[in-house]
Amino acid sequence: MTFWAIQTLNGVSFGMLLFLLAAGLSLIFGLMRILNLAHGSYYVLGAYVALSAIGVTGSFAAAAAAGIATVVALGVVMERGLLRRLPRDELPQALLTFGFLLIVGDLSLAIWGGTPQTLPKPAIFDASLRVGPLVFPSYRLFVIAVGVVVGVALWLLQERTRLGAMLRAAIDDAEIARATGINVSALSTGVFAFGAALAALGGIIGGPLLGVYPGADFEILLLAFVVVIVGGLGSLKGAFFGGLLVGLLDNFGKALFPQFALFTIFAPMAIILAVRPSGLFGAR
Amino acid sequence: MRVIAIVASVFAALVPMTACAQWPVKIGLLLPYTGVLSVQGIDTTRGVELALAKAGSKAGGRDVHVLREDTEAKPDVGLTKIRKLIERDRVDFVVGPVNSVVALAIRNYVHEQGTPLVVPVAFTRVLTAPPQVSPAIFRIVETSDQGNYPMGSWMMKHTKYRKMIVMATDFVAGRHAVEAFMAGYRAAGGEIVKEIYAPLNTPDFAPYLTQAGTTPADAVYAFFPGADAIRFVKQYREYGLWDRLPLTGYNVLADDTILPALGEAALGLLTVGGYSAAIDTPVNRAFVADYERAHKTWPSRYSESGFDAAELIVTAVESLAGDLSDRARVREALRTSLPRIKSPRGALEFDAYRQVICPSYVMRTEKRGGRIVNAIIDTIPAVSQGQTWTWWNRK
Amino acid sequence: MRAGVAIAVGVVLLALSPLALSSYQLGLLTKMLIFALFAMSLNLILGYAGLPSLGHAAYFGVGAYTVGLLAVKVRDNFWLDFGAGLVAAAVTSALFGLLALRARGAYLLMITLALAQVLWGIAFGWRWLTGGDDGLPGVPRPAAGLPWSFAGGPAFYYLVLIVFVVLTAAFWVLVRSPFGQALVGIRESERRMEVLGYDTWRYKYVAFVLAGVMAGVSGNLFVYYNGFVSPAYLSIVFSAMALIMVILGGAGTLLGPAVGGAVIVLLENVISTHTERWLTVLGVIYVVVTLFAPAGIMGFVRERWGGRTV
């Protein structure tokens, strides 16, 4: 009983982390059809800047703000300055964002060094909770809470506000949205910046669990893509439930079938693509 | 025809003279400078540079130049780069690599070319055992066997752990390391109750920790590299396993590169390894002080290995008075120079296969003087690879 | 005709290279040709048929492992080993094509990645056969029963060069044929081609298998070149590298990917010698090329100097 309870909590907390990692990518691809390979860079940069900021200020909240602000600035520069100039073709986008992935990764190595690091948790989450025979790190409960709060907030934003309505209109059909007076250009930059902010948040929340080191950008990018594909491109609900599904399947897969551990991240993706090729909540 | 003969003989007479004309000794560093293992490449390089600075960047009356090539931890890139170092740059020695897969990939080439390769980090056990062993390859780092095998019997003799769980990353290094430990532990009468393997770059060890937590045993022996080690050790503590199942393992779990990131989470960890910056000898204290002055941080075992590699080369070149023209003599000089260097690790020498015989240190991670260090609690002297061949390399 | 002259000059220069280049430089050129082939094979499905794949290293690696395992553990016979490698690549791409081609766009990208990762995982985990992540060293140069040996740099270089020229010529014929034109039509608008009566899936499938076999050829050559094989040959890094080579060189052009492949191999080796920040330099180059030549190097060349031959 303890075993199943803990494994379920493990899966859910990992799933929420995956959601935070994937939400930004899903948003950007969904609205702008931009395959942003620099998504992994946003995670890493957010985590590294937060790490330095914590070293200077000692405050997790201030560090989080610093990390997010830096990444948002980079995102805005990338979108307005560069991605806009490209033809609406995935291949040049891939090359451009890949170039950024390399640049940010290498400069991070130069600035923060190659030693693997982890973000320190906020001190209140240092303890683990004990309920009878169960021991569970309190920080992971915090991750679940953050995931749920962000998920609900994004859903409310999308479904219940005017901004959300404009967003949905622009996703469905950009030309008609523009014709009705929606400022698709400002919306695009805004969405891109927001997606970047979500990725940075993923880095800050995930930093204490996953750590940050050279190569983390590629690993995170891969995880985010798996979640987005399982959940369906462009769907935040998909990122949420896709993340949850992948987290749970990965966790139980590793616990019950250790010999296939290498494939447990890809198995959900393969199943989904076989059964429902556009993902759980994907459109086309 | 006669003109050609005259010109040729003049040339032949000139060549030995130009060889003595102070061309620099060239050392090629074949290490990963980018990617996940960059910290190992960078640390090794710092160790090399520290040793060369001590020697005034001169050996045997000649200047010493260092060339760096990035292997990116990829075997095909490593092979291309070592070709460049040997064929284009004509280096006299190569120091590297870090990855075992790169070492195995370049082995045939190095063997054919004959340029001496001093291996500071790549620890695959097959490199210095027949049939892969080569007279051109000199390894100064202990194999996964040399570190882990003696720890098995040490564990039985000095602790009360009679039933252990083994946990490792599921790749060759991890498997070989715990295989060696299990062989030594079982030979001394211990029982391994479970083996748990996780893929490389596992972000979440929770499923594995829960498995370990529900298995009755006395302790855990583990091998995880780099970022995996940080996540593993931290999550191990967070899931409350430490009280019931003390954590032990190879020093890679808490070596000096990741000890700062682990912090208090690593306190109490019992490990075995070839080096700790906390070794309390005058030679090591001086080394650590010099290193800290240059880089504001303590050296890791990679730094120390680079240091030893460079000292070895400098000592060998000195013993030849700078004359590197006879490759066989150079190799012999390398072989005999190892016992003569003052290594921060202790006394070193080569066995018949040019693999180092070195002490292994049992360490406990403790707080000493406000700093978290791997304090030495015991020494296992002069372990050779041959002693560990009893179970996998029967002749 | 200008393109024809340029090509002829290029081939002559390549043929004369062993006389002018050092052994290291010739080795580098050999590597450039092998990767040019690998990139060209991806170009068939990515550039011409519009099928993005992030798992193309699967066929490269399967060919390489087959050749390597046979040469080391069974027999070093070029015709047997190389042929087996091609068969393995063909079977793998035939199987993966069936599974992957139901998807499109980013989904196709991810499913091809997943399939390649499965092979990578097998090579990584099956230690007693493949050596695991330590790889399989000791692969000898091909023994083809011919009166000369391929152990030397120039001899092996000529083998690679001949394969490269022959396959490029075959590729050229293929893309100008009705089959090739149909692929381009499918890339532009699959719906339209279906309406016109084409069995688009079959065209995509054949292209997929052909691309896989060609990737297998380059993988076979690569394992002979290096003398070893490791899971890296099946990794996402190699697949991504091929993708970048195609895009940088110009997807959908004949020689673009070859140029892209050669440029990247050259840049990586030259820049990394001069600075440790070579990845930043490489990234900046990609960004600049994308901004000024979004259709890749050969795309840019086409726009400036016209012509659609290459």
Side-chain angles (χ1 to χ4, degrees):
Chain A
M1 183 52 217
T2 313
F3 178 81
W4 294 108
I6 295 243
Q7 292 292 27
T8 310
L9 276 176
N10 288 338
V12 170
S13 67
F14 188 47
M16 286 298 97
L17 183 62
L18 288 175
F19 162 61
L20 288 171
L21 296 177
L25 187 72
S26 186
L27 202 63
I28 290 176
F29 195 91
L31 179 63
M32 301 151 86
R33 281 277 174 270
I34 292 179
L35 204 61
N36 181 25
L37 299 179
H39 182 76
S41 305
Y42 295 161
Y43 168 96
V44 155
L45 196 60
Y48 271 130
V49 168
L51 189 66
S52 293
I54 286 189
V56 167
T57 67
S59 153
F60 192 82
I68 293 178
T70 313
V71 171
V72 164
L74 176 67
V76 168
V77 163
M78 273 181 71
E79 199 272 333
R80 284 209 98 90
L82 299 162
L83 284 165
R84 235 170 239 231
R85 305 245 174 103
L86 295 184
R88 203 151 259 288
D89 185 0
E90 281 148 0
L91 296 183
Q93 281 170 8
L95 189 62
L96 183 87
T97 52
F98 187 77
F100 264 94
L101 189 67
L102 292 183
I103 295 171
V104 173
D106 195 46
L107 291 181
S108 300
L109 175 63
I111 299 174
W112 285 283
T115 314
Q117 322 216 34
T118 49
L119 248 59
K121 303 192 276 267
I124 29 169
F125 296 118
D126 265 338
S128 298
L129 292 181
R130 278 173 198 271
V131 180
L134 272 116
V135 178
F136 196 71
S138 56
Y139 188 73
R140 287 184 184 236
L141 292 174
F142 174 63
V143 171
I144 296 178
V146 171
V148 169
V149 164
V150 169
V152 167
L154 288 177
W155 178 76
L156 281 174
L157 190 72
Q158 229 187 299
E159 299 294 320
R160 294 292 160 88
T161 64
R162 230 177 67 122
L163 186 66
M166 290 197 284
L167 214 80
R168 275 179 290 134
I171 289 182
D172 285 339
D173 196 319
E175 283 200 25
I176 298 205
R178 211 175 280 126
T180 62
I182 295 175
N183 186 348
V184 176
S185 163
L187 209 59
S188 300
T189 307
V191 168
F192 199 91
F194 193 54
L198 282 174
L201 182 68
I204 291 157
I205 300 293
L209 277 179
L210 301 175
V212 61
Y213 45 89
D217 43 10
F218 281 94
E219 288 170 31
I220 299 302
L221 188 62
L222 194 61
L223 283 176
F225 266 117
V226 170
V227 170
V228 160
I229 290 288
V230 167
L233 288 166
S235 161
L236 277 172
K237 207 164 37 164
F240 188 87
F241 288 106
L244 209 53
L245 185 67
V246 172
L248 283 166
L249 282 179
D250 177 66
N251 215 282
F252 281 105
K254 286 194 160 86
L256 300 172
F257 308 109
Q259 60 269 43
F260 296 115
L262 271 176
F263 312 118
T264 50
I265 289 280
F266 289 100
M269 189 170 76
I271 297 170
I272 288 290
L273 287 175
V275 167
R276 213 189 129 85
S278 54
L280 286 175
F281 297 100
R284 302 150 214 195
Chain B
M1 238 8 265
R2 204 171 294 170
V3 177
I4 298 177
I6 295 174
V7 170
S9 49
V10 169
F11 241 92
L14 280 175
V15 162
M17 275 161 56
T18 48
C20 294
Q22 308 309 306
W23 280 351
V25 173
K26 290 200 244 180
I27 303 180
L29 300 185
L30 188 72
L31 300 165
Y33 289 103
T34 52
V36 176
L37 295 176
S38 51
V39 62
Q40 298 184 15
I42 293 170
D43 270 8
T44 308
T45 306
R46 287 178 169 178
V48 166
E49 289 173 345
L50 193 63
L52 291 178
K54 251 182 61 179
S57 288
K58 280 177 110 69
R62 296 163 69 173
D63 286 333
V64 178
H65 284 183
V66 165
L67 290 103
R68 305 184 188 186
E69 286 296 343
D70 187 355
T71 63
E72 306 170 44
K74 295 181 188 165
D76 57 300
V77 175
L79 188 56
T80 305
K81 294 297 173 76
I82 199 173
R83 279 187 180 145
K84 176 185 170 293
L85 283 172
I86 291 181
E87 290 172 33
R88 210 189 79 162
D89 301 319
R90 305 213 175 278
V91 296
D92 301 294
F93 301 91
V94 179
V95 173
V98 160
N99 297 75
S100 291
V101 63
V102 175
L104 291 172
I106 64 176
R107 182 259 167 212
N108 281 351
Y109 181 74
V110 168
H111 183 69
E112 282 159 31
Q113 295 286 328
T115 310
L117 177 73
V118 179
V119 181
V121 182
F123 53 76
T124 176
R125 64 194 188 201
V126 303
L127 189 66
T128 47
Q132 299 279 33
V133 66
S134 160
I137 298 181
F138 296 80
R139 182 156 56 175
I140 58 172
V141 65
E142 72 271 17
T143 63
S144 44
D145 291 341
Q146 285 172 281
N148 292 286
Y149 184 76
M151 189 59 170
S153 55
W154 190 95
M155 199 71 80
M156 286 297 288
K157 236 195 303 181
H158 293 108
T159 71
K160 296 212 179 50
Y161 309 144
R162 297 287 170 263
K163 291 160 107 107
M164 292 188 73
I165 301 172
V166 143
M167 299 179 76
T169 300
D170 198 358
F171 67 148
V172 172
R175 288 267 181 175
H176 283 185
V178 296
E179 272 173 23
F181 173 77
M182 289 195 287
Y185 187 67
R186 283 179 172 136
E191 185 193 341
I192 302 287
V193 296
K194 202 176 180 89
E195 296 171 42
I196 300 176
Y197 299 101
L200 194 58
N201 300 324
T202 296
D204 192 0
F205 286 98
Y208 304 103
L209 294 171
T210 315
Q211 268 182 60
T214 49
T215 308
D218 298 324
V220 165
Y221 190 82
F223 182 103
F224 290 97
D228 278 348
I230 298 180
R231 291 190 284 251
F232 177 76
V233 172
K234 283 198 156 183
Q235 291 172 17
Y236 197 91
R237 210 175 263 287
E238 285 165 9
Y239 276 89
L241 263 69
W242 209 296
D243 323 316
R244 288 180 287 126
L245 276 179
L247 183 59
T248 71
Y250 191 66
N251 185 241
V252 67
L253 284 184
D255 70 32
D256 291 289
T257 55
I258 58 175
L259 211 47
L262 279 174
E264 311 239 322
L267 288 175
L269 190 61
L270 179 75
T271 56
V272 65
Y275 178 74
S276 158
I279 290 176
D280 199 5
T281 62
V283 179
N284 187 49
R285 282 200 301 269
F287 170 64
V288 171
D290 288 340
Y291 192 91
E292 193 167 19
R293 206 173 317 128
H295 300 290
K296 314 270 179 302
T297 175
W298 268 19
S300 65
R301 63 195 189 101
Y302 312 105
S303 325
E304 196 276 333
S305 217
F307 184 82
D308 283 348
E311 290 251 291
L312 175 65
I313 292 175
V314 165
T315 310
V317 173
E318 289 272 324
S319 76
L320 293 168
D323 180 7
L324 305 177
S325 51
D326 184 345
R327 275 270 163 80
R329 288 188 63 218
V330 173
R331 291 199 293 262
E332 184 59 19
L334 278 172
R335 199 182 64 78
T336 53
S337 296
L338 191 59
R340 296 187 1 233
I341 70 170
K342 290 209 172 38
S343 167
R345 253 192 285 174
L348 305 176
E349 60 176 312
F350 282 122
D351 68 10
Y353 296 105
R354 290 156 298 278
Q355 167 64 21
V356 71
I357 302 174
C358 58
S360 268
Y361 295 100
V362 181
M363 329 175 195
R364 181 170 285 122
T365 314
E366 299 174 354
K367 206 168 202 171
R368 290 220 178 145
R371 192 181 192 129
I372 300 183
V373 302
N374 290 317
I376 311 294
I377 60 173
D378 202 358
T379 305
I380 306 172
V383 183
S384 81
Q385 65 172 349
Q387 292 167 256
T388 66
W389 280 352
T390 54
W391 58 279
W392 70 269
N393 199 6
R394 293 173 223 281
K395 299 284 185 60
Chain C
M1 226 39 249
R2 267 202 321 208
V5 170
I7 291 174
V9 169
V11 172
V12 168
L13 282 179
L14 283 174
L16 293 176
S17 299
L19 302 174
L21 299 177
S22 70
S23 59
Y24 164 68
Q25 288 168 326
L26 192 64
L28 204 56
L29 186 58
T30 313
K31 194 173 185 179
M32 282 158 68
L33 286 175
I34 295 175
F35 276 108
L37 268 178
F38 184 36
M40 274 210 301
S41 71
L42 179 61
N43 189 29
L44 183 64
I45 47 173
L46 174 63
Y48 286 93
L51 303 169
S53 164
L54 204 53
H56 209 57
Y59 323 111
F60 182 89
V62 157
Y65 264 103
T66 308
V67 168
L69 284 168
L70 284 177
V72 169
K73 307 212 173 186
V74 178
R75 196 147 51 114
D76 177 21
N77 177 322
F78 176 73
W79 309 108
L80 168 74
D81 302 341
F82 200 91
L86 292 185
V87 169
V91 166
T92 310
S93 55
L95 179 63
F96 283 4
L98 285 174
L99 296 170
L101 285 176
R102 322 153 84 230
R104 306 240 168 114
Y107 298 99
L108 176 60
L109 206 67
M110 292 308 283
I111 199 170
T112 48
L113 168 62
L115 291 169
Q117 284 293 99
V118 168
L119 285 183
W120 176 87
I122 294 174
F124 197 93
W126 210 351
R127 269 182 306 277
W128 69 267
L129 180 68
T130 64
D133 53 302
D134 265 2
L136 191 73
V139 177
R141 282 284 163 87
L146 294 167
W148 60 85
S149 146
F150 287 110
F156 190 74
Y157 169 76
Y158 279 123
L159 172 67
V160 172
L161 181 62
I162 289 171
V163 171
F164 176 77
V165 169
V166 166
L167 278 183
T168 306
F171 197 90
W172 185 78
V173 168
L174 184 71
V175 298
R176 304 182 116 229
S177 71
F179 176 79
Q181 307 285 25
L183 286 182
V184 175
I186 292 173
R187 179 189 79 206
E188 298 298 314
S189 171
E190 188 166 353
R191 193 69 57 85
R192 203 186 309 154
M193 295 299 283
E194 282 172 356
V195 163
L196 286 172
Y198 283 84
D199 181 354
T200 57
W201 188 90
R202 193 175 306 181
Y203 278 88
K204 293 196 288 190
Y205 185 67
V206 171
F208 199 85
V209 175
L210 286 176
V213 172
M214 194 169 164
V217 171
S218 54
N220 292 358
L221 291 174
F222 201 52
V223 69
Y224 280 131
Y225 171 70
N226 282 320
F228 66 85
V229 57
S230 82
Y233 292 22
L234 291 161
S235 67
I236 180 178
V237 174
F238 266 56
S239 294
M241 201 159 58
L243 203 61
I244 296 297
M245 287 174 178
V246 171
I247 301 174
L248 184 75
T253 66
L254 180 75
L255 286 180
V259 168
V263 162
I264 287 182
V265 170
L266 197 64
L267 282 177
E268 286 194 351
N269 281 282
V270 168
I271 302 177
S272 60
T273 307
H274 295 287
T275 167
E276 248 170 61
R277 303 270 72 83
W278 62 274
L279 279 169
T280 303
V281 174
L282 208 63
V284 168
I285 290 176
Y286 293 162
V287 170
V288 166
V289 166
T290 317
L291 290 176
F292 293 103
I297 297 174
M298 284 313 282
F300 180 77
V301 165
R302 272 190 188 183
E303 277 168 45
R304 287 287 241 97
W305 288 291
R308 295 184 59 78
T309 338
V310 293

